[in-house]
């Protein structure tokens, strides 16, 4: 079998889809994108296609090695995301060739269903208590919210109190049984993170996510002294080499690799296995589209330390189009009692609605994240 064609589709709300075709009529789909940099990743995939056309799509490990190690410069969000989407599509082809879901080719299922959580509150979190109650009523057993708006290196007590009040409102609305993930989004610096995690302790968060930026991961060791809450990070880290030092230091409880950024399905399976050896849980990052989510669920199904899955249905980024719009059968992602059943179809286990993809690719998008500033005019983390 040979790869004959690679086609990219930039579709709303902010996604990039890839279709890889072969001379045996089997095609696969991937989602290579960096949010806000879709055109840049598009260019990277196009450059990589010079090598890929004519290659055997079944040689996934060899193709990964060439794409990752074949150039002098490697890694980072753009190159890793380009490789990730290509790799997803190759696994989709391999699964369809063998008429098996991808997880069956990676050791088989170790669970029957995967727990999922839903986002509440938006970029600038508000009305979170009511929103959390709605998601619980819809059947979710866990929610996640942004902890704060922008925060300076040293910021005010009223901002801390406002953040705590929002978390308190969610806990009061949903009770003790519901998991609450609190995403710092890298917006908070070390000094304020220490204060916030200590104040959040009474509300028993399910986890605290990215309390500092990944380039400041060394601060996690000090932040962990102020809380017993599980600390999570990893959505902006790439390949097993990016996670190696973090895991060896033993300073996180949950890693959150993104299967459209970290290197793809098999690379993230290797990362998950590394984490398991360090007694660390996995909760894949996925505020993206249906192809990325299907890839995550394939990983979750065969990874015993995967404990919950992010998904983007109704997330504040998805304006104009949503997760299920590009599937022929949206029921594959039916959430019941806070879980989604294993995908049983071949490959990724989803059937992309190509007609809808082509229709919306004609619309396209130019999504960019906002640029935030502090009260003094300095740039803030978004």
């Amino acid at each position: 079998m040979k790869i004959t064609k690679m086609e990219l589709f930039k579709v709303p709300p902010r996604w990039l889809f890839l279709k890889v075709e072969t001379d045996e009529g089997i095609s696969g789909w991937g989602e290579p994108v960096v949010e806000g940099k879709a055109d840049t990743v598009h260019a990277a995939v196009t450059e990589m296609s010079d090598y890929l056309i004519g290659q055997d799509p079944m040689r996934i490990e060899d193709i990964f090695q060439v794409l990752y190690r074949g150039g002098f410069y490697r890694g980072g969000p753009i190159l890793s995301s380009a490789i990730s989407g290509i790799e997803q599509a190759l696994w989709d082809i391999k699964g369809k060739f063998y008429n098996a879901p991808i997880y069956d080719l990676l050791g088989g299922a170790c669970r029957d269903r995967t727990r999922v959580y839903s986002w509440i509150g938006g970029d600038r979190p508000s009305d979170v208590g009511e929103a959390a109650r709605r998601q619980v009523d819809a059947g979710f057993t866990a929610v996640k919210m942004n902890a704060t708006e922008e925060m300076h290196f040293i910021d005010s007590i009223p901002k801390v109190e406002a953040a705590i009040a929002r978390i308190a409102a969610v806990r009061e609305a949903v009770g003790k049984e519901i998991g609450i993930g609190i995403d710092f989004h890298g917006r908070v610096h070390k000094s304020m993170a220490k204060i916030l995690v200590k104040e959040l302790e009474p509300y028993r968060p399910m986890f605290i996510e990215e309390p500092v930026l990944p380039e400041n991961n060394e601060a996690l060791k000090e932040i962990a002294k102020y809380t017993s809450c599980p600390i999570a990070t990893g959505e902006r880290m790439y390949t097993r080499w990016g996670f190696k030092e973090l895991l060896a230091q033993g300073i996180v409880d949950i890693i959150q690799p993104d299967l459209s950024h970290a290197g793809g399905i098999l690379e993230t399976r290797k990362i998950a296995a590394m984490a398991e050896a360090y007694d660390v849980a996995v909760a894949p990052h996925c505020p993206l589209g249906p192809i990325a989510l299907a890839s995550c669920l394939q990983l979750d199904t065969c990874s015993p330390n995967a404990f919950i899955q992010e998904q983007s249905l109704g997330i504040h980024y998805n304006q104009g189009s949503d997760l299920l719009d590009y599937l022929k059968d949206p029921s594959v992602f039916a959430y019941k009692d806070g879980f989604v059943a294993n995908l049983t179809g071949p490959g990724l286990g989803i059937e992309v609605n190509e007609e809808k993809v082509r229709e919306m690719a004609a619309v396209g998008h130019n999504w960019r994240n906002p640029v935030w500033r502090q009260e003094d005019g300095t740039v803030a983390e978004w």
Side-chain angles (χ1 to χ4, degrees):
M1 196 189 321
K2 303 296 181 186
I3 296 171
T4 57
K5 185 178 180 182
M6 297 173 61
E7 195 171 2
L8 289 150
F9 306 91
K10 192 168 71 164
V11 298
R14 57 175 191 162
W15 304 331
L16 182 67
F17 294 166
L18 167 67
K19 182 184 181 186
V20 177
E21 298 182 30
T22 69
D23 59 359
E24 292 193 14
I26 303 174
S27 60
W29 290 86
E31 196 166 334
V33 67
V34 172
E35 299 89 310
K37 299 292 183 183
D39 291 326
T40 314
V41 181
H42 189 298
V45 173
T46 301
E47 286 181 338
M48 292 175 183
S49 70
D50 292 343
Y51 171 77
L52 289 162
I53 299 298
Q55 296 296 319
D56 179 357
M58 306 292 272
R59 292 173 59 91
I60 297 175
E61 180 65 39
D62 184 65
I63 288 173
F64 176 91
Q65 294 291 328
V66 170
L67 295 181
Y68 184 75
R69 297 172 58 200
F72 186 75
Y73 296 98
R74 60 187 67 174
I78 302 302
L79 296 179
S80 295
S81 297
I83 293 171
S84 297
I86 292 167
E87 197 259 15
Q88 292 166 1
L90 299 183
W91 275 109
D92 195 24
I93 290 169
K94 185 182 280 278
K96 290 172 180 174
F97 179 85
Y98 287 111
N99 194 32
I102 293 165
Y103 59 77
D104 267 353
L105 307 179
L106 294 175
C110 65
R111 59 170 43 95
D112 302 319
R113 56 182 186 162
T114 299
R115 191 183 182 195
V116 293
Y117 65 80
S118 182
W119 263 93
I120 59 171
D123 249 357
R124 297 183 180 275
S126 61
D127 301 325
V128 285
E130 180 183 345
R133 184 70 260 167
R134 286 197 301 268
Q135 296 301 338
V136 171
D137 289 344
F140 289 97
T141 62
V143 297
K144 189 171 84 172
M145 60 183 285
N146 280 312
T148 71
E149 300 181 354
E150 59 269 67
M151 292 196 87
H152 223 313
F153 280 81
I154 304 295
D155 218 314
S156 67
I157 294 303
K159 277 193 179 180
V160 173
E161 290 179 340
I164 302 306
R166 286 190 291 266
I167 309 305
V170 174
R171 181 56 75 201
E172 183 178 358
V174 301
K176 296 181 179 180
E177 301 299 321
I178 302 301
I180 304 173
I182 301 175
D183 190 354
F184 281 42
H185 219 253
R187 295 172 180 172
V188 181
H189 300 275
K190 178 178 66 173
S191 299
M192 300 308 299
K194 291 189 294 184
I195 296 171
L196 281 165
V197 298
K198 184 176 181 180
E199 295 292 332
L200 288 170
E201 184 89 6
Y203 303 100
R204 303 291 177 89
M206 179 171 59
F207 56 77
I208 292 169
E209 178 175 340
E210 261 196 341
V212 291
L213 292 166
E215 51 261 47
N216 298 327
N217 274 345
E218 71 281 353
L220 295 174
K221 185 175 183 180
E222 183 177 354
I223 292 167
K225 297 175 182 178
Y226 293 84
T227 183
S228 63
C229 298
I231 294 177
T233 195
E235 69 187 66
R236 289 184 272 190
M237 298 170 62
Y238 317 105
T239 76
R240 75 201 91 148
W241 295 282
F243 284 86
K244 180 172 65 172
E245 184 177 356
L246 180 72
L247 290 169
Q249 290 174 340
I251 54 179
V252 295
D253 307 286
I254 303 163
I255 58 166
Q256 299 171 302
D258 188 309
L259 275 77
S260 280
H261 300 327
I265 296 170
L266 180 57
E267 183 65 13
T268 311
R269 181 67 192 95
K270 294 174 182 178
I271 294 167
M274 288 170 58
E276 186 183 3
Y278 284 97
D279 204 23
V280 170
V282 176
H285 179 253
C286 190
L288 293 171
I291 300 168
L293 178 58
S295 299
C296 288
L297 292 172
Q298 296 294 331
L299 171 84
D300 296 329
T301 301
C302 62
S303 300
N305 54 332
F307 88 101
I308 200 164
Q309 178 59 57
E310 180 175 25
Q311 54 82 40
S312 73
L313 187 63
I315 200 171
H316 45 286
Y317 305 121
N318 294 358
Q319 297 180 5
S321 294
D322 213 329
L323 181 68
L324 306 180
D325 295 348
Y326 296 101
L327 297 178
K328 286 189 175 181
D329 179 14
S331 69
V332 294
F333 291 149
Y335 305 135
K336 183 179 179 182
D337 300 327
F339 288 81
V340 59
N342 292 353
L343 303 174
T344 57
L348 286 169
I350 60 173
E351 190 173 0
V352 174
N353 185 340
E354 186 171 339
E355 182 179 348
K356 180 69 172 180
V357 169
R358 293 185 180 278
E359 174 193 340
M360 297 309 292
V363 176
H365 69 82
N366 192 35
W367 189 88
R368 299 287 187 270
N369 63 257
V371 175
W372 286 3
R373 291 186 181 272
Q374 307 287 359
E375 292 177 354
D376 62 3
T378 55
V379 173
E381 301 294 338
W382 167 68

